[in-house]
Amino acid sequence: MSDLDDLYRDVILDHFRNPRNRGTLEQADIRVEGVNPFCGDKISLTVKLENGLIREVRMDGNGCSISQASASMMTEALKGKTLSESQKLVQDFKHMMLEKGAAADLPEALEELAALEGVKKYPVRIKCAVLAWNTLLEGIRAFAENKGPVSSTHKEE
Ligand code: ZN
């Protein structure tokens, strides 16, 4: 293991052990549950909007360190963003994880997510890393369709 691998592992374990924005918002505009049956990961997201911006976001769930750390890091990147900016962040992250994108291409808001680039070496774990992000996308899609507060679900396939 290189020093860089150690650093990245530390970032992931820190978010896994001390998840940021953990919990559930009572008055949420977006409420969405995601599951990754390939690993047993579960994520629930609640999002409160104000004037078109994400005012608060909470994550809860259980599963492997990659799924939970990725969700924790995602919540930190979303605060103060519009829903379309959030969709763009999801695309940027998924570009790194699923396509030929590199961590160096990530926008500043996602810098810490570079820690998950190593997961690309283990294709089955990529679903763990993208679970929270696909779950958020589903919540945003359902909210737009419903034009108001909504509950929705996502399943990795
Ligand atoms: Zn997992």
Side-chain angles (χ1 to χ4, degrees), residues 36 38-41 63-68 124-125 127-129:
N36 170 19
F38 300 92
C39 181
D41 307 315
C64 71
S65 58
I66 291 167
S67 67
Q68 305 301 305
V124 69
R125 309 305 303 279
K127 289 182 191 298
C128 304

Side-chain angles (χ1 to χ4, degrees), residues 2-154:
S2 71
D3 289 347
L4 199 59
D5 286 340
D6 285 347
L7 174 71
Y8 282 168
R9 194 182 51 198
D10 287 349
V11 169
I12 292 168
L13 286 178
D14 178 51
H15 276 272
F16 178 55
R17 289 176 181 144
N18 309 295
R20 318 302 198 266
N21 304 304
R22 187 170 188 116
T24 306
L25 296 168
E26 291 299 322
Q27 307 261 319
D29 294 296
I30 297 173
R31 198 174 288 278
V32 55
E33 309 271 336
V35 296
N36 170 19
F38 300 92
C39 181
D41 307 315
K42 292 193 172 106
I43 292 287
S44 79
L45 297 173
T46 45
V47 178
K48 179 78 190 151
L49 299 168
E50 192 174 86
N51 299 325
L53 303 179
I54 294 181
R55 184 171 172 226
E56 281 191 87
V57 50
R58 295 269 191 282
M59 57 80 70
D60 210 342
N62 53 72
C64 71
S65 58
I66 291 167
S67 67
Q68 305 301 305
S70 184
S72 170
M73 287 189 255
M74 183 185 79
T75 64
E76 290 202 303
L78 293 177
K79 263 192 199 164
K81 299 283 189 293
T82 65
L83 292 182
S84 61
E85 286 168 343
S86 302
Q87 287 170 313
K88 175 71 168 65
L89 289 178
V90 175
Q91 285 163 11
D92 289 343
F93 178 66
K94 287 176 69 177
H95 180 69
M96 176 184 83
M97 295 305 299
L98 299 171
E99 298 166 44
K100 299 209 187 306
D105 302 329
L106 289 175
E108 201 177 343
L110 299 183
E111 263 175 359
E112 255 194 325
L113 275 304
L116 291 168
E117 192 184 23
V119 172
K120 285 168 84 171
K121 285 182 281 188
Y122 311 98
V124 69
R125 309 305 303 279
I126 292 175
K127 289 182 191 298
C128 304
V130 299
L131 172 63
W133 303 76
N134 282 333
T135 301
L136 176 72
L137 275 191
E138 164 53 27
I140 292 174
R141 187 206 62 76
F143 179 81
E145 187 180 277
N146 198 49
K147 299 183 172 63
V150 70
S151 292
S152 178
T153 59
H154 164 76

